[in-house]
């Protein structure tokens, strides 16, 4: 694990920039193991919620000293801390998948398809692990009512997983082929990006909160921690032998 390093950022020294903009630029390049000590002349709650939304909920912050006249915050990446809930763990993995997809798409847009091929492979392995965890561990454990129309959250998730896997297989086939098929990689990655963004939003709004509540109601703190470790290990392809809650 990277050694923790701390840097102070005083929003009073923004040089005329709005506090929100100054905070965004100061926090967007946080790396694992880094901490920003943020000094705010006003209550930072709304500001931090807005900045964190822009950074796709990658930040964790705590008020070290409350104002007025000055609020002192400790800000770091959420990934530096243990997951606080099942929703937290799964949304973190969504963000990781998004970064892998963005990397592959960026290389493809530059026509660097040789470099993009291993990035696509890494993306595919990570997405397949994520889908396997949701299909084979989470959906069976947190069984929810299904309907014949197939428009319940679980049915929608499973159906969209099949579509995403089909898109991934097509992308892998294209980028591994000759010049004629490789040229299709970039538009297919762009389509996958749009599909995954919509899919992740639906899961985070309609499924994860229900799973989180079911886990909290069905087990104690130790059982929850053990289940989260199992899910985290499976997402990292290190399945454990711990029993379900």
């Amino acid at each position: 694990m990277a050694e923790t390093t701390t840097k102070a950022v005083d929003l009073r020294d923004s040089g005329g920039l709005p506090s929100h903009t100054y905070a965004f630029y100061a926090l967007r390049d946080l790396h694992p193991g880094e901490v920003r000590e943020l000094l705010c002349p006003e209550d930072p709650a709304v500001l931090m919620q807005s900045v964190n939304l822009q950074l796709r909920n990658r930040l964790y912050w705590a008020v070290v000293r409350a104002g007025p006249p000055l609020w002192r915050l400790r800000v770091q990446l959420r990934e530096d801390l243990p997951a606080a809930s099942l929703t937290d763990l799964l949304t973190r993995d969504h963000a990781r998948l998004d970064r892998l997809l963005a990397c592959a798409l960026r290389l493809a847009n530059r026509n660097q398809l040789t470099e993009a091929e291993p990035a696509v492979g890494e993306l595919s392995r990570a997405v397949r692990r994520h889908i396997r965890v949701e299909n084979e561990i989470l959906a069976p454990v947190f069984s929810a009512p299904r309907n014949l129309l197939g428009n319940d959250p679980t049915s929608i998730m499973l159906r969209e997983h099949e579509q995403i896997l089909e898109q991934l297989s097509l992308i892998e086939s294209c980028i591994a082929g000759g010049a004629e098929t490789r040229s299709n990689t970039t538009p297919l990655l762009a389509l996958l990006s749009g599909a995954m963004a919509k899919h992740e939003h639906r899961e985070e709004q309609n499924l994860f909160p229900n799973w989180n509540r079911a886990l909290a109601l069905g087990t104690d703190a130790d059982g929850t921690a053990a289940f989260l470790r199992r899910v985290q290990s499976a997402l990292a392809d290190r399945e454990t032998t711990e029993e379900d809650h």
Side-chain angles (χ1 to χ4, degrees), residues 91-103:
T91 53
R92 288 187 195 192
D93 205 54
H94 275 175
R96 181 175 69 95
L97 298 180
D98 293 345
R99 292 193 295 273
L100 292 174
L101 178 52
C103 176

Side-chain angles (χ1 to χ4, degrees), residues 13-29:
D13 299 331
S14 64
L17 285 174
S19 295
H20 171 276
T21 303
Y22 191 61
F24 172 78
Y25 285 130
L27 299 173
R28 67 175 179 175
D29 294 325

Side-chain angles (χ1 to χ4, degrees), residues 229-242:
R229 287 195 297 272
R230 181 190 172 193
V231 173
Q232 188 164 25
S233 294
L235 289 172
D237 203 21
R238 297 191 308 270
E239 183 67 273
T240 70
T241 58
E242 292 175 310

Side-chain angles (χ1 to χ4, degrees), residues 44-174:
V46 173
L47 179 144
M48 288 303 302
Q49 289 169 8
S50 177
V51 170
N52 196 32
L53 184 63
Q54 283 185 277
L55 296 176
R56 214 179 184 285
N57 296 313
R58 295 187 65 204
L59 303 179
Y60 169 84
W61 71 91
V63 177
V64 177
R65 182 178 300 170
L70 191 66
W71 281 259
R72 187 182 300 270
L73 278 67
R74 178 183 173 89
V75 186
Q76 60 194 119
L77 293 177
R78 286 169 62 197
E79 65 191 63
D80 286 342
L81 301 167
S85 66
L86 183 59
T87 295
D88 185 20
L89 179 58
L90 294 172
T91 53
R92 288 187 195 192
D93 205 54
H94 275 175
R96 181 175 69 95
L97 298 180
D98 293 345
R99 292 193 295 273
L100 292 174
L101 178 52
C103 176
L105 184 55
R106 184 166 56 249
L107 291 169
N109 278 328
R110 295 172 181 166
N111 204 32
Q112 296 175 298
L113 294 177
T114 299
E115 293 83 355
E117 187 169 358
V120 167
E122 184 179 3
L123 168 67
S124 178
R125 290 188 293 274
V127 170
R128 291 176 191 278
R129 280 197 301 271
H130 187 98
I131 287 176
R132 186 166 61 247
V133 167
E134 291 183 342
N135 286 8
E136 299 178 11
I137 297 178
L138 299 174
V141 169
F142 304 116
S143 56
R146 309 277 289 276
N147 62 52
L148 295 177
L149 296 176
N151 56 10
D152 58 275
T154 302
S155 296
I156 291 171
M157 177 196 75
L158 295 173
R159 185 166 59 249
E160 290 180 348
H161 282 172
E162 292 180 3
Q163 295 166 354
I164 288 170
L165 291 175
E166 289 174 0
Q167 288 179 276
L168 269 175
S169 295
L170 183 57
I171 290 168
E172 290 175 299
S173 176
C174 284

